Amino acid sequence: MEFIFATNNLNKVKEINNALQGNYTICSLKDAGILIDIPEPYNTLEDNAREKAVTIYQMTGKNCFSEDTGLEVDALNGAPGVRSARYAGDQANSTDNMEKLLHELSASTNRNARFRTVICMILEGKKLFFEGICNGTILRERRGDEGFGYDPIFIPEGSLKTFAQMDTNEKNAFSHRKKALDKMITYLNSRYAR
Ligand code: IMP
């Protein structure tokens, strides 16, 4: 069974492919020949995930899914959350975003945070949502070169390493995205597996 994964983020494609282990096939927007960047204009992960999936379903009529992820920091009342990609400004890159976050948290001893992923899958025209959460803490400095986004400053609960010090297999043992995907796969298996 094949799905279009509505993303241009190759790190996300790598993580999802690792998690799927070949049971379902995904193709990225680039693989599907869809060369657009879908905006994320809404105030919730759910609405942005829905927007991306619906856009691709309307263009292709094929089974597809999208995901939106935010880093929710307790001491910042859940920020940057849905604004994680643009935390330091519309043109900000990951380094800018991490620097802003570390600055905002510099006086805080409460370093608790979580990544939250919402997947919206459109299967035979029907929308379904799956959520995955990974609790952890924000470091005071960056560690590691793997991964992407805020990975170098986030240590998941139960680990001594940041996500950026892990390979994809290790990250997927903890990851928010993998947890949401596992729920989606459980649903698909219950519906289609013989
Ligand atoms: P989006 O889901 O692509 O909109 O991501 C929102 C922001 O969170 C971007 O800055 C991403 O780089 C970051 N982000 C999303 N997923 C992860 C992750 O698994 N680790 C670290 N940062 C992430």
Side-chain angles (χ1 to χ4, degrees):
M1 189 166 202
E2 184 176 279
F3 289 86
I4 299 176
F5 178 23
T7 188
N8 290 312
N9 182 329
L10 296 181
N11 287 292
K12 290 184 178 179
V13 174
K14 185 176 167 197
E15 287 181 20
I16 297 259
N17 265 325
N18 174 284
L20 284 174
Q21 310 234 318
N23 291 332
Y24 296 91
T25 311
I26 57 164
C27 69
S28 66
L29 290 182
K30 188 166 169 242
D31 296 336
I34 301 170
L35 304 176
I36 58 168
D37 224 1
I38 308 166
E40 299 177 341
Y42 296 108
N43 290 326
T44 66
L45 299 175
E46 287 78 3
D47 285 342
N48 284 331
R50 182 195 296 106
E51 172 74 13
K52 290 187 272 189
V54 167
T55 300
I56 296 308
Y57 185 70
Q58 285 174 344
M59 286 177 75
T60 65
K62 293 190 176 159
N63 291 332
C64 59
F65 69 97
S66 72
E67 64 91 63
D68 202 28
T69 295
L71 177 61
E72 300 172 345
V73 179
D74 283 358
L76 302 175
N77 298 317
V82 72
R83 292 197 39 84
S84 293
R86 299 168 300 281
Y87 189 43
D90 283 345
Q91 306 302 323
N93 61 26
S94 294
T95 301
D96 302 331
N97 288 333
M98 281 189 286
E99 272 172 15
K100 174 163 181 191
L101 186 62
L102 292 178
H103 177 72
E104 297 288 324
L105 277 183
S106 55
S108 178
T109 52
N110 179 357
R111 315 292 297 185
N112 295 335
R114 74 201 49 79
F115 276 112
R116 192 163 73 86
T117 289
V118 174
I119 288 178
C120 176
M121 171 173 69
I122 304 191
L123 182 67
E124 294 165 14
K126 187 177 159 196
K127 290 186 215 74
L128 295 138
F129 291 85
F130 305 93
E131 181 187 65
I133 290 173
C134 176
N135 291 309
T137 51
I138 304 292
L139 281 181
R140 289 191 176 273
E141 72 291 310
R142 305 167 56 147
R143 270 190 229 155
D145 303 309
E146 301 295 322
F148 67 102
Y150 296 87
D151 280 349
I153 57 170
F154 184 85
I155 298 199
E157 217 168 74
S159 172
L160 296 173
K161 294 185 194 175
T162 67
F163 271 156
Q165 293 174 302
M166 299 180 185
D167 64 22
T168 307
N169 264 329
E170 288 175 283
K171 181 175 175 183
N172 271 346
F174 297 96
S175 131
H176 40 294
R177 187 166 297 103
K178 168 76 160 58
K179 286 177 186 159
L181 188 76
D182 281 349
K183 290 182 187 169
M184 180 177 123
I185 291 170
T186 300
Y187 176 86
L188 288 169
N189 286 345
S190 73
R191 191 162 159 170
Y192 296 106
R194 273 170 260 159

PDB file of all heavy atoms in Angstrom, residues 12 40 67-69 84-85 97 115 148-151 171 176-177, ligand 1:
ATOM      1  N   LYS A  12      12.560  13.998   7.829  1.00  0.00           N
ATOM      2  CA  LYS A  12      11.316  13.341   8.247  1.00  0.00           C
ATOM      3  C   LYS A  12      11.064  12.093   7.395  1.00  0.00           C
ATOM      4  O   LYS A  12      10.628  11.064   7.906  1.00  0.00           O
ATOM      5  CB  LYS A  12      10.128  14.307   8.108  1.00  0.00           C
ATOM      6  CG  LYS A  12      10.148  15.457   9.120  1.00  0.00           C
ATOM      7  CD  LYS A  12       8.890  16.300   8.971  1.00  0.00           C
ATOM      8  CE  LYS A  12       8.851  17.433   9.986  1.00  0.00           C
ATOM      9  NZ  LYS A  12       7.642  18.256   9.836  1.00  0.00           N
ATOM     10  N   GLU A  40       1.729  26.618   6.352  1.00  0.00           N
ATOM     11  CA  GLU A  40       1.209  26.141   7.652  1.00  0.00           C
ATOM     12  C   GLU A  40       0.629  27.357   8.355  1.00  0.00           C
ATOM     13  O   GLU A  40       1.239  27.893   9.276  1.00  0.00           O
ATOM     14  CB  GLU A  40       2.355  25.525   8.459  1.00  0.00           C
ATOM     15  CG  GLU A  40       2.997  24.335   7.783  1.00  0.00           C
ATOM     16  CD  GLU A  40       4.176  23.772   8.567  1.00  0.00           C
ATOM     17  OE1 GLU A  40       4.727  24.479   9.436  1.00  0.00           O
ATOM     18  OE2 GLU A  40       4.540  22.626   8.303  1.00  0.00           O
ATOM     19  N   GLU A  67       2.293  15.504   8.529  1.00  0.00           N
ATOM     20  CA  GLU A  67       2.439  15.666   9.965  1.00  0.00           C
ATOM     21  C   GLU A  67       2.911  17.068  10.260  1.00  0.00           C
ATOM     22  O   GLU A  67       3.559  17.695   9.432  1.00  0.00           O
ATOM     23  CB  GLU A  67       3.390  14.619  10.541  1.00  0.00           C
ATOM     24  CG  GLU A  67       4.827  14.692  10.069  1.00  0.00           C
ATOM     25  CD  GLU A  67       5.693  15.554  10.949  1.00  0.00           C
ATOM     26  OE1 GLU A  67       5.879  15.228  12.124  1.00  0.00           O
ATOM     27  OE2 GLU A  67       6.191  16.578  10.428  1.00  0.00           O
ATOM     28  N   ASP A  68       2.538  17.562  11.444  1.00  0.00           N
ATOM     29  CA  ASP A  68       3.071  18.833  11.916  1.00  0.00           C
ATOM     30  C   ASP A  68       3.564  18.592  13.330  1.00  0.00           C
ATOM     31  O   ASP A  68       2.932  17.862  14.110  1.00  0.00           O
ATOM     32  CB  ASP A  68       1.990  19.915  11.870  1.00  0.00           C
ATOM     33  CG  ASP A  68       2.605  21.316  11.834  1.00  0.00           C
ATOM     34  OD1 ASP A  68       3.746  21.466  11.335  1.00  0.00           O
ATOM     35  OD2 ASP A  68       1.954  22.261  12.296  1.00  0.00           O
ATOM     36  N   THR A  69       4.706  19.190  13.637  1.00  0.00           N
ATOM     37  CA  THR A  69       5.350  18.944  14.924  1.00  0.00           C
ATOM     38  C   THR A  69       5.692  20.267  15.581  1.00  0.00           C
ATOM     39  O   THR A  69       6.083  21.213  14.902  1.00  0.00           O
ATOM     40  CB  THR A  69       6.648  18.135  14.708  1.00  0.00           C
ATOM     41  OG1 THR A  69       6.300  16.845  14.205  1.00  0.00           O
ATOM     42  CG2 THR A  69       7.425  17.957  16.010  1.00  0.00           C
ATOM     43  N   SER A  84       7.132  26.630  16.001  1.00  0.00           N
ATOM     44  CA  SER A  84       8.520  26.177  16.175  1.00  0.00           C
ATOM     45  C   SER A  84       9.409  26.476  14.971  1.00  0.00           C
ATOM     46  O   SER A  84      10.578  26.843  15.130  1.00  0.00           O
ATOM     47  CB  SER A  84       8.550  24.670  16.460  1.00  0.00           C
ATOM     48  OG  SER A  84       7.954  24.415  17.713  1.00  0.00           O
ATOM     49  N   ALA A  85       8.877  26.320  13.752  1.00  0.00           N
ATOM     50  CA  ALA A  85       9.722  26.519  12.560  1.00  0.00           C
ATOM     51  C   ALA A  85      10.086  27.984  12.362  1.00  0.00           C
ATOM     52  O   ALA A  85      11.124  28.291  11.786  1.00  0.00           O
ATOM     53  CB  ALA A  85       8.991  26.007  11.321  1.00  0.00           C
ATOM     54  N   ASN A  97      16.642  29.514  15.642  1.00  0.00           N
ATOM     55  CA  ASN A  97      15.547  29.110  16.541  1.00  0.00           C
ATOM     56  C   ASN A  97      16.086  28.577  17.861  1.00  0.00           C
ATOM     57  O   ASN A  97      15.573  28.904  18.939  1.00  0.00           O
ATOM     58  CB  ASN A  97      14.686  28.041  15.863  1.00  0.00           C
ATOM     59  CG  ASN A  97      13.832  28.612  14.747  1.00  0.00           C
ATOM     60  OD1 ASN A  97      13.484  29.784  14.768  1.00  0.00           O
ATOM     61  ND2 ASN A  97      13.505  27.785  13.767  1.00  0.00           N
ATOM     62  N   PHE A 115       8.142  17.277  22.533  1.00  0.00           N
ATOM     63  CA  PHE A 115       7.798  17.359  21.119  1.00  0.00           C
ATOM     64  C   PHE A 115       6.432  16.722  20.959  1.00  0.00           C
ATOM     65  O   PHE A 115       6.161  15.646  21.524  1.00  0.00           O
ATOM     66  CB  PHE A 115       8.792  16.572  20.262  1.00  0.00           C
ATOM     67  CG  PHE A 115      10.037  17.339  19.909  1.00  0.00           C
ATOM     68  CD1 PHE A 115      11.259  16.972  20.433  1.00  0.00           C
ATOM     69  CD2 PHE A 115       9.986  18.411  19.025  1.00  0.00           C
ATOM     70  CE1 PHE A 115      12.411  17.664  20.097  1.00  0.00           C
ATOM     71  CE2 PHE A 115      11.132  19.105  18.680  1.00  0.00           C
ATOM     72  CZ  PHE A 115      12.348  18.734  19.220  1.00  0.00           C
ATOM     73  N   PHE A 148      17.906  17.063  12.981  1.00  0.00           N
ATOM     74  CA  PHE A 148      17.552  18.370  12.434  1.00  0.00           C
ATOM     75  C   PHE A 148      16.819  19.182  13.496  1.00  0.00           C
ATOM     76  O   PHE A 148      16.578  18.693  14.599  1.00  0.00           O
ATOM     77  CB  PHE A 148      16.687  18.205  11.172  1.00  0.00           C
ATOM     78  CG  PHE A 148      15.322  17.628  11.425  1.00  0.00           C
ATOM     79  CD1 PHE A 148      14.198  18.447  11.445  1.00  0.00           C
ATOM     80  CD2 PHE A 148      15.161  16.273  11.662  1.00  0.00           C
ATOM     81  CE1 PHE A 148      12.922  17.922  11.681  1.00  0.00           C
ATOM     82  CE2 PHE A 148      13.892  15.744  11.906  1.00  0.00           C
ATOM     83  CZ  PHE A 148      12.784  16.574  11.914  1.00  0.00           C
ATOM     84  N   GLY A 149      16.468  20.396  13.116  1.00  0.00           N
ATOM     85  CA  GLY A 149      15.658  21.249  13.992  1.00  0.00           C
ATOM     86  C   GLY A 149      16.288  21.431  15.369  1.00  0.00           C
ATOM     87  O   GLY A 149      17.473  21.747  15.500  1.00  0.00           O
ATOM     88  N   TYR A 150      15.487  21.193  16.390  1.00  0.00           N
ATOM     89  CA  TYR A 150      15.914  21.409  17.777  1.00  0.00           C
ATOM     90  C   TYR A 150      16.623  20.183  18.368  1.00  0.00           C
ATOM     91  O   TYR A 150      16.893  20.159  19.573  1.00  0.00           O
ATOM     92  CB  TYR A 150      14.691  21.752  18.642  1.00  0.00           C
ATOM     93  CG  TYR A 150      13.990  23.052  18.266  1.00  0.00           C
ATOM     94  CD1 TYR A 150      12.997  23.077  17.289  1.00  0.00           C
ATOM     95  CD2 TYR A 150      14.312  24.246  18.897  1.00  0.00           C
ATOM     96  CE1 TYR A 150      12.345  24.258  16.948  1.00  0.00           C
ATOM     97  CE2 TYR A 150      13.656  25.440  18.565  1.00  0.00           C
ATOM     98  CZ  TYR A 150      12.678  25.428  17.588  1.00  0.00           C
ATOM     99  OH  TYR A 150      12.037  26.605  17.259  1.00  0.00           O
ATOM    100  N   ASP A 151      16.918  19.170  17.564  1.00  0.00           N
ATOM    101  CA  ASP A 151      17.518  17.930  18.070  1.00  0.00           C
ATOM    102  C   ASP A 151      18.751  18.142  18.962  1.00  0.00           C
ATOM    103  O   ASP A 151      18.905  17.441  19.970  1.00  0.00           O
ATOM    104  CB  ASP A 151      17.885  16.989  16.913  1.00  0.00           C
ATOM    105  CG  ASP A 151      16.690  16.209  16.390  1.00  0.00           C
ATOM    106  OD1 ASP A 151      15.625  16.226  17.036  1.00  0.00           O
ATOM    107  OD2 ASP A 151      16.819  15.575  15.320  1.00  0.00           O
ATOM    108  N   LYS A 171      16.877   7.371  17.679  1.00  0.00           N
ATOM    109  CA  LYS A 171      15.874   8.448  17.832  1.00  0.00           C
ATOM    110  C   LYS A 171      14.462   7.876  17.775  1.00  0.00           C
ATOM    111  O   LYS A 171      13.584   8.265  18.541  1.00  0.00           O
ATOM    112  CB  LYS A 171      16.078   9.532  16.763  1.00  0.00           C
ATOM    113  CG  LYS A 171      15.065  10.675  16.895  1.00  0.00           C
ATOM    114  CD  LYS A 171      15.300  11.825  15.935  1.00  0.00           C
ATOM    115  CE  LYS A 171      14.164  12.856  16.063  1.00  0.00           C
ATOM    116  NZ  LYS A 171      14.280  13.969  15.112  1.00  0.00           N
ATOM    117  N   HIS A 176       8.507  11.236  19.162  1.00  0.00           N
ATOM    118  CA  HIS A 176       7.132  11.715  18.965  1.00  0.00           C
ATOM    119  C   HIS A 176       6.582  11.284  17.592  1.00  0.00           C
ATOM    120  O   HIS A 176       5.477  10.783  17.483  1.00  0.00           O
ATOM    121  CB  HIS A 176       7.150  13.248  19.053  1.00  0.00           C
ATOM    122  CG  HIS A 176       8.341  13.874  18.377  1.00  0.00           C
ATOM    123  ND1 HIS A 176       9.618  13.694  18.838  1.00  0.00           N
ATOM    124  CD2 HIS A 176       8.460  14.589  17.237  1.00  0.00           C
ATOM    125  CE1 HIS A 176      10.461  14.296  18.039  1.00  0.00           C
ATOM    126  NE2 HIS A 176       9.798  14.845  17.045  1.00  0.00           N
ATOM    127  N   ARG A 177       7.391  11.481  16.550  1.00  0.00           N
ATOM    128  CA  ARG A 177       6.920  11.176  15.185  1.00  0.00           C
ATOM    129  C   ARG A 177       6.688   9.680  15.043  1.00  0.00           C
ATOM    130  O   ARG A 177       5.701   9.227  14.464  1.00  0.00           O
ATOM    131  CB  ARG A 177       7.982  11.666  14.181  1.00  0.00           C
ATOM    132  CG  ARG A 177       7.568  11.584  12.729  1.00  0.00           C
ATOM    133  CD  ARG A 177       8.514  12.379  11.839  1.00  0.00           C
ATOM    134  NE  ARG A 177       8.496  13.793  12.163  1.00  0.00           N
ATOM    135  CZ  ARG A 177       9.447  14.419  12.854  1.00  0.00           C
ATOM    136  NH1 ARG A 177      10.533  13.788  13.254  1.00  0.00           N
ATOM    137  NH2 ARG A 177       9.329  15.693  13.137  1.00  0.00           N
TER     138      ARG A 177
HETATM  139  P1  IMP B   1       7.388  21.268  11.087  1.00  0.00           P
HETATM  140  O1  IMP B   1       6.621  20.118  11.608  1.00  0.00           O
HETATM  141  O2  IMP B   1       8.191  20.896   9.889  1.00  0.00           O
HETATM  142  O3  IMP B   1       6.544  22.492  10.899  1.00  0.00           O
HETATM  143  O4  IMP B   1       8.482  21.603  12.177  1.00  0.00           O
HETATM  144  C1  IMP B   1       8.383  22.649  13.097  1.00  0.00           C
HETATM  145  C2  IMP B   1       9.738  22.965  13.687  1.00  0.00           C
HETATM  146  O5  IMP B   1      10.078  21.970  14.614  1.00  0.00           O
HETATM  147  C3  IMP B   1      10.890  23.064  12.697  1.00  0.00           C
HETATM  148  O6  IMP B   1      11.773  24.055  13.154  1.00  0.00           O
HETATM  149  C4  IMP B   1      11.529  21.715  12.765  1.00  0.00           C
HETATM  150  O7  IMP B   1      12.874  21.779  12.447  1.00  0.00           O
HETATM  151  C5  IMP B   1      11.289  21.352  14.227  1.00  0.00           C
HETATM  152  N1  IMP B   1      11.140  19.918  14.378  1.00  0.00           N
HETATM  153  C6  IMP B   1      10.147  19.142  13.881  1.00  0.00           C
HETATM  154  N2  IMP B   1      10.368  17.856  14.196  1.00  0.00           N
HETATM  155  C7  IMP B   1      11.532  17.838  14.900  1.00  0.00           C
HETATM  156  C8  IMP B   1      12.285  16.795  15.478  1.00  0.00           C
HETATM  157  O8  IMP B   1      11.972  15.594  15.396  1.00  0.00           O
HETATM  158  N3  IMP B   1      13.406  17.172  16.120  1.00  0.00           N
HETATM  159  C9  IMP B   1      13.810  18.463  16.221  1.00  0.00           C
HETATM  160  N4  IMP B   1      13.140  19.481  15.692  1.00  0.00           N
HETATM  161  C10 IMP B   1      12.006  19.155  15.024  1.00  0.00           C
END
